[in-house]
Amino acid sequence: MKKLVVIGAGMASGRMLEELFDTAPGAYAVTLFNAEPRGNYNRIMLSPVLSGEKSYAEIVTHDDAWYAANAVTCRFGEAVTRIDRARKVVVGAQGEVPYDQLVIATGSAPFIIPVPGRDLPGVITYRDLDDTNAMIEASGKGGSAVVIGGGLLGLEAAAGLRLRGMEVTVLHLSGHLMERQLDEAAGFLLRRDLEHRGIKVMTKASTTAILGDDRVEAVLLEDGTTLPADLVVMAVGIRPETRLATDAGLEVARGIAIDAQMRTSDPDIFAVGECVDFNGQLFGLVAPLYDQAKVLAQTLLGAEAVFVPKELSTKLKVTGCDLFSAGDFAEGPNREDIVFRDPGRGVYKRLVIEDDAIIGAVMYGDTADSNWFFGQIRDGADISTLRDTLIFGPAFQGGAPVDPMAAVAALPPEAEICGCNGVCKGTIVAAINGGASDLAAVKAQTKASASCGTCTGLVEQVLASTLGDRFTRKAVQPVCGCTELTHEDLRRLIKSQSLKSMPAVWQAGAWKTPDGCHVCRPALNFYLLADWPLEYRDDLQSRFINERKHANIQKDGTFSVMPRMWGGITTPDELRAIADAADKFAVPTVKVTGGQRIDLLGVKSEDLPAIWADLNAAGMVSGHAYSKGLRTVKTCVGTDHCRFGTQDSTGLGIKLEKALWGSWTPHKVKLAVSGCPRNCAEATCKDVGIICVDSGFQIGVAGAAGMDLKETERLGQVETEEEAIALTIAFVQLYRENAKYLDRPYKWVAKVGLDWVKERVVDDLAERQRLIDAFAVSQSVYQKDPWAEHVRERSEQYKPVNLSGFAAE
Amino acid sequence: MTTWIDIGPLDAIPPRGARKVTTPLGCVAVFRTGADEVYALENRCPHKGGPLADGIVHGHAVTCPLHNWVFDFTTGEAQGADTGRVATYPARVEGGRVLLDAARLQARSQAA
């Protein structure tokens, strides 16, 4: 097998490897160097990581398993010091690797403006995950940040830091923001939007020095202005990282010179990505890099391929700032403009026309039609007949507005849908006809919408027009009308910004109501108490009445009372106490439940503390039959009595119930333990169901027997009770940390995948222990009998104020 | 004539919470908002009779615990798609005590 060495694990080389392994697995033995101590991730998505909208784990493109499956020798965290072309070896910090073919994919380095103070601690660039983490850490202390550079990266950094609560000023040398992508009008709208979010923008601002003694304290401008700064982000531009190539004597212009097959001046050395220079052109956006990757993979496999640079477009990934630009929009003698403005909505669209073709477009505030305009630019289409309505986009061509779906349906198969990955409509339709019936499947099979994600809506429209009625859109639903955030956004926001109180979340999440509503408050209360058990205080007023009064409200406004019966085991004394209580409080209905306990229905609200006190006195505690929390652990009699029992299922059930009771979860959690595969406790439709066998315990999770009926899936099989309990606790804690409020475990597992759960609960022992420890911390606060607590501290609240003596005259 | 009756300290009602008041004529729910204002509403949802004092208080409204009807404190009107109304009664806070208007509670009896 030939030896291929790749220097740099970025998006370009990552895509090249994918192409290589897909086309000819086993053609090369690959060694991959990366100076960063990690593999390939989606660098475009660093901005959402910075702002807290995504986590690093969500932007990983190639994980350890992928590298292992493709037998890539990973040398991550190791810098390459030199390329020895004579001996055909790459010299790394930890030793040499010989190559037959070498790919240089060193990307780019941030440009540092040569001002005094540029090396002070607190001055950082914005290129990789470490930079991003450094910014996140710095923002945790609050204070002021100055971002030097009002281009794409600078503005994404500014928006992220602002979202994390810093005072942010953007300094930009030119007269308006993003001058290479936007004209002045769009630059103004962008500036106004950023200022509305509290970001200060200074244009024509030239930095003279960065001030500070042992770390950055301020930025000094040419006009004498001094801006205090706890953090300075330099985002003035990038330059190809060419040092290794230069040292090796390869031909280097502004970047590493390559031909259309990605070959450098050495026939066995190739270069790809931001480090290359192709006929004087440099590349910073992902689409051409992916084209290069494809060409390089083919070249390495001996196939014919030619790299042709294409027209490019730009979008900004700052939530709420919708902008698009493509082509050439400078003014010129033979050029004409079509401009549309709607100041009230902050919409601006400008098309630049030359010789009856659109050559450039700038849009701000409404970019829904940008793909269509981009197609017109790329194809050099003749627009003379469309000119009257051109600016209104594809829906209005032909006179009357048409269904936007029709526009997508009318696109030819070769129309490009995903610009990042060069996926055309035909490829997506083929995948759909091959069985990909939702966005995730299309993404997995074609990579459409898998990079920056701005074409997601378009991909969904292709799905809809291809599948017709069979397509059901997974709409992104905000939690409620109080906020635009989804449950997933909200959980991320709470964790990433360490929000520990409701008012903090309302502020950071831009709540539109003063104090939420009956939908968001219970969810928020759970998320906060699950993430910060020690810092956050449970808010009873944000709980549904059942959890506020620790009893189930019935249709007539009375309540039901159900004491816990550990594992379904009770005693004559307990039964007597229950019977006495039922008599004393004239309980109209006494019912044996499906969860192996006894329910007293029809108790008046004001009687609750008294009946609880009686049941407490007999040694019973709340059964939490009303809570989004652990309900029951149903058991069979197991080895104690049953001739088929293989283990002490009752004993294990009691241990599990004693470990888990009192914990709050996203939705109710029901367990069961059956002593043998005959499964008398019906464990195979529970949230966690354990089946005892001779050799141990089979642990199933994610069953359902409510609105849906679903058998559990096997989480694992263990030999001892201790392990069975450990896996159960770890599973419940993982569910507590990650699931959406009111998703039962089966719904949550369907979203994240059982493998994802297994990795954390079963395979990764350190993570399992972390989960168990975190659960223990939470239980130290929440495992208490709420009945006893309310009898002791809150019984007043259950009594109505009595004005009966106040008689109506 | 307005006769204010003291029904107890404001602190007896948690912020964003409520207290049920029984009168010979039926129950009234007295609410305390997040901004410490008090409002009094008939404690019976016109939909299925749910006890509004057991609902979740948000802004100037309460959500019925049975089927999530939402009632505005100032008008007693059901919000959103639901139509219905509960009676409202004057209530105020003075010197940390919550007061209800006795005359209106009597008027209610005449109306009822």
Side-chain angles (χ1 to χ4, degrees):
Chain A
M1 217 191 301
K2 283 197 288 184
K3 293 185 283 293
L4 177 69
V5 174
V6 181
I7 306 174
M11 296 178 71
S13 70
R15 176 53 60 89
M16 182 276 291
L17 290 174
E18 284 177 14
E19 297 276 347
L20 199 63
F21 296 142
D22 282 354
T23 317
Y28 281 98
V30 176
T31 301
L32 178 60
F33 282 93
N34 201 24
E36 277 188 75
R38 56 187 72 86
N40 181 23
Y41 55 92
N42 188 344
R43 228 166 264 265
I44 307 176
M45 287 300 186
L46 282 174
S47 296
V49 171
L50 174 61
S51 63
E53 293 161 278
K54 278 200 185 308
S55 68
Y56 169 65
E58 288 175 275
I59 68 165
V60 171
T61 314
H62 296 152
D63 56 13
D64 293 347
W66 187 87
Y67 289 118
N70 292 295
V72 176
T73 307
C74 298
R75 307 263 296 243
F76 296 158
E78 180 179 355
V80 170
T81 51
R82 172 166 88 76
I83 300 164
D84 188 334
R85 289 166 57 195
R87 292 166 49 226
K88 293 187 81 170
V89 293
V90 168
V91 184
Q94 286 161 42
E96 300 184 349
V97 183
Y99 66 81
D100 295 312
Q101 253 90 44
L102 172 64
V103 171
I104 304 177
T106 42
S108 60
F111 187 75
I112 308 282
I113 48 171
V115 293
R118 62 183 183 271
D119 298 325
L120 281 173
V123 180
I124 49 186
T125 56
Y126 184 23
R127 284 304 292 160
D128 59 23
L129 183 70
D130 293 333
D131 295 335
T132 309
N133 285 336
M135 278 193 263
I136 292 172
E137 200 196 323
S139 68
K141 300 180 201 114
S144 305
V146 171
V147 177
I148 305 178
L152 269 180
L153 269 183
L155 295 183
E156 291 182 5
L161 291 170
R162 179 69 196 145
L163 268 181
R164 287 192 178 269
M166 292 191 88
E167 294 296 324
V168 181
T169 306
V170 175
L171 304 179
H172 194 52
L173 198 54
S174 158
H176 69 266
L177 294 170
M178 289 181 69
E179 78 283 359
R180 285 167 57 197
Q181 291 90 9
L182 296 183
D183 61 10
E184 210 175 336
F188 164 75
L189 287 173
L190 174 60
R191 175 181 185 149
R192 202 183 57 175
D193 268 3
L194 293 172
E195 285 173 347
H196 278 164
R197 308 154 178 242
I199 297 171
K200 231 175 114 186
V201 177
M202 299 175 72
T203 49
K204 295 189 176 153
S206 176
T207 306
T208 300
I210 298 169
L211 311 175
D213 290 331
D214 39 8
R215 63 169 290 117
V216 58
E217 285 164 20
V219 174
L220 175 66
L221 302 186
E222 205 176 42
D223 65 4
T225 311
T226 309
L227 301 165
D230 303 298
L231 174 71
V232 172
V233 180
M234 256 202 225
V236 289
I238 53 172
R239 53 174 179 74
E241 176 56 73
T242 58
R243 279 175 296 183
L244 281 174
T246 307
D247 291 351
L250 295 172
E251 192 185 319
V252 173
R254 283 196 295 160
I256 303 168
I258 49 156
D259 63 15
Q261 281 70 47
M262 317 309 295
R263 196 175 266 115
T264 66
S265 54
D266 179 325
D268 289 324
I269 302 183
F270 302 82
V272 69
E274 289 182 331
C275 61
V276 307
D277 181 329
F278 178 68
N279 294 337
Q281 205 178 338
L282 303 180
F283 304 89
L285 297 172
V286 74
L289 303 191
Y290 282 174
D291 287 343
Q292 292 177 2
K294 207 177 277 188
V295 170
L296 175 54
Q298 304 219 345
T299 305
L300 286 172
L301 294 171
E304 291 279 325
V306 178
F307 172 62
V308 184
K310 282 193 287 198
E311 193 68 58
L312 292 177
S313 65
T314 305
K315 286 186 179 189
L316 179 72
K317 280 171 300 307
V318 172
T319 314
C321 290
D322 234 357
L323 71 82
F324 167 85
S325 86
D328 182 352
F329 45 85
E331 290 180 24
N334 299 317
R335 293 180 176 180
E336 299 164 283
D337 285 343
I338 299 179
V339 176
F340 171 87
R341 287 179 202 268
D342 182 344
R345 284 194 301 142
V347 172
Y348 169 81
K349 299 182 187 185
R350 173 165 164 242
L351 302 176
V352 182
I353 306 215
E354 191 174 55
D355 297 334
D356 286 333
I358 310 176
I359 60 162
V362 183
M363 304 196 175
Y364 194 89
D366 173 8
T367 57
D369 295 328
S370 57
N371 272 314
W372 184 76
F373 284 113
F374 184 50
Q376 302 285 315
I377 295 173
R378 205 185 38 213
D379 301 343
D382 183 339
I383 50 85
S384 51
T385 57
L386 310 176
R387 200 163 157 145
D388 286 352
T389 54
L390 184 65
I391 193 85
F392 302 113
F396 288 83
Q397 304 319 318
V402 293
D403 178 4
M405 291 293 300
V408 172
L411 287 175
E414 63 275 13
E416 188 173 82
I417 301 290
C418 172
C420 289
N421 292 296
V423 186
C424 62
K425 182 183 161 191
T427 310
I428 296 173
V429 171
I432 296 168
N433 291 334
S437 62
D438 61 14
L439 183 66
V442 169
K443 200 190 272 190
Q445 290 184 25
T446 68
K447 294 202 167 63
S449 90
S451 290
C452 81
T454 41
C455 64
T456 303
L458 214 49
V459 175
E460 285 189 330
Q461 288 183 10
V462 175
L463 271 160
S465 74
T466 309
L467 290 174
D469 292 343
R470 287 181 295 141
F471 175 69
T472 45
R473 187 185 311 263
K474 285 210 186 81
V476 183
Q477 286 288 348
V479 174
C480 62
C482 301
T483 175
E484 300 293 334
L485 297 174
T486 63
H487 282 275
E488 291 73 15
D489 295 336
L490 182 55
R491 292 218 79 166
R492 264 197 300 273
L493 188 75
I494 289 170
K495 289 184 172 77
S496 68
Q497 297 196 18
S498 299
L499 303 175
K500 298 179 183 176
S501 71
M502 289 228 188
V505 177
W506 295 333
Q507 185 58 35
W511 248 246
K512 292 175 250 175
T513 49
D515 48 11
C517 71
H518 65 273
V519 178
C520 59
R521 283 238 305 278
L524 202 45
N525 188 55
F526 168 73
Y527 294 153
L528 287 166
L529 72 83
D531 283 345
W532 316 110
L534 300 179
E535 292 98 330
Y536 176 74
R537 241 186 108 209
D538 185 19
D539 177 28
L540 282 184
Q541 300 309 321
S542 294
R543 287 185 174 278
F544 181 60
I545 187 63
N546 291 356
E547 295 185 347
R548 197 180 329 140
K549 285 197 171 166
H550 292 279
N552 253 327
I553 195 165
Q554 306 298 313
K555 68 175 195 175
D556 60 355
T558 64
F559 290 83
S560 75
V561 170
M562 198 188 301
R564 208 167 265 295
M565 284 182 180
W566 308 97
I569 295 291
T570 186
T571 64
D573 282 344
E574 285 185 355
L575 291 172
R576 260 189 285 279
I578 290 170
D580 288 345
D583 273 345
K584 179 171 167 187
F585 296 95
V587 172
T589 306
V590 180
K591 174 155 192 340
V592 174
T593 72
Q596 299 185 335
R597 39 203 198 166
I598 293 175
D599 195 4
L600 306 173
L601 293 131
V603 180
K604 287 196 275 301
S605 173
E606 43 266 46
D607 288 341
L608 288 171
I611 194 169
W612 295 338
D614 285 3
L615 294 170
N616 277 164
M620 285 178 276
V621 297
S622 166
H624 290 90
Y626 45 81
S627 75
K628 314 288 179 238
L630 177 82
R631 295 284 181 91
T632 62
V633 181
K634 188 170 177 174
T635 66
C636 67
V637 290
T639 41
D640 273 0
H641 302 277
C642 178
R643 65 200 165 100
F644 297 117
T646 62
Q647 308 276 357
D648 177 14
S649 51
T650 322
L652 176 56
I654 292 172
K655 283 179 192 157
L656 283 168
E657 194 164 350
K658 296 241 170 184
L660 295 170
W661 77 282
S663 59
W664 299 102
T665 43
H667 205 312
K668 57 188 171 186
V669 171
K670 294 182 175 178
L671 272 64
V673 185
S674 283
C676 79
R678 286 168 193 77
N679 192 18
C680 294
E682 296 160 355
T684 48
C685 60
K686 299 296 185 206
D687 298 299
V688 180
I690 297 178
I691 305 278
C692 303
V693 289
D694 256 340
S695 56
F697 305 86
Q698 295 171 345
I699 300 169
V701 294
M707 306 244 269
D708 295 304
L709 187 58
K710 180 177 167 295
E711 194 179 347
T712 49
E713 298 171 64
R714 183 75 64 84
L715 180 69
Q717 174 157 354
V718 295
E719 288 177 12
T720 64
E721 269 193 3
E722 289 67 36
E723 287 171 285
I725 294 168
L727 285 194
T728 304
I729 291 176
F731 174 79
V732 169
Q733 178 63 13
L734 192 67
Y735 169 59
R736 284 163 41 85
E737 289 179 7
N738 292 284
K740 171 183 164 217
Y741 188 66
L742 299 187
D743 263 359
R744 287 287 287 268
Y746 76 99
K747 287 197 173 165
W748 167 66
V749 171
K751 286 176 185 170
V752 299
L754 185 65
D755 287 343
W756 185 89
V757 175
K758 275 185 185 167
E759 272 167 35
R760 282 151 185 82
V761 173
V762 182
D763 304 338
D764 183 342
L765 294 179
E767 173 67 1
R768 185 198 298 179
Q769 194 54 48
R770 185 197 67 74
L771 289 164
I772 292 171
D773 293 345
F775 187 74
V777 169
S778 176
Q779 288 296 74
S780 73
V781 178
Y782 287 103
Q783 192 172 60
K784 61 189 174 195
D785 177 28
W787 287 356
E789 188 190 12
H790 281 225
V791 168
R792 200 169 55 238
E793 295 167 13
R794 294 182 49 86
S795 57
E796 264 312 297
Q797 290 293 324
Y798 290 80
K799 285 185 200 147
V801 176
N802 194 345
L803 293 185
S804 304
F806 163 73
E809 297 293 320
Chain B
M1 195 188 84
T2 309
T3 320
W4 293 101
I5 313 179
D6 184 335
I7 62 157
L10 180 65
D11 290 347
I13 310 175
R16 296 186 197 98
R19 200 69 192 267
K20 187 167 91 172
V21 178
T22 55
T23 75
L25 309 159
C27 294
V28 171
V30 180
F31 298 97
R32 174 176 173 184
T33 68
D36 287 345
E37 306 137 308
V38 294
Y39 292 94
L41 263 57
E42 177 186 358
N43 189 35
R44 195 186 142 76
C45 178
H47 175 220
K48 301 272 183 187
L52 297 183
D54 283 337
I56 289 180
V57 176
H58 47 97
H60 286 93
V62 63
T63 301
C64 175
L66 291 193
H67 307 96
N68 292 334
W69 282 36
V70 178
F71 295 91
D72 184 278
F73 287 156
T74 49
T75 64
E77 292 284 347
Q79 305 293 292
D82 302 317
T83 52
R85 191 176 168 279
V86 291
T88 60
Y89 305 100
R92 62 189 179 101
V93 181
E94 196 175 284
R97 309 290 298 182
V98 179
L99 308 178
L100 292 185
D101 179 358
R104 284 293 303 281
L105 290 174
Q106 287 171 353
R108 182 168 174 236
S109 71
Q110 285 149 12

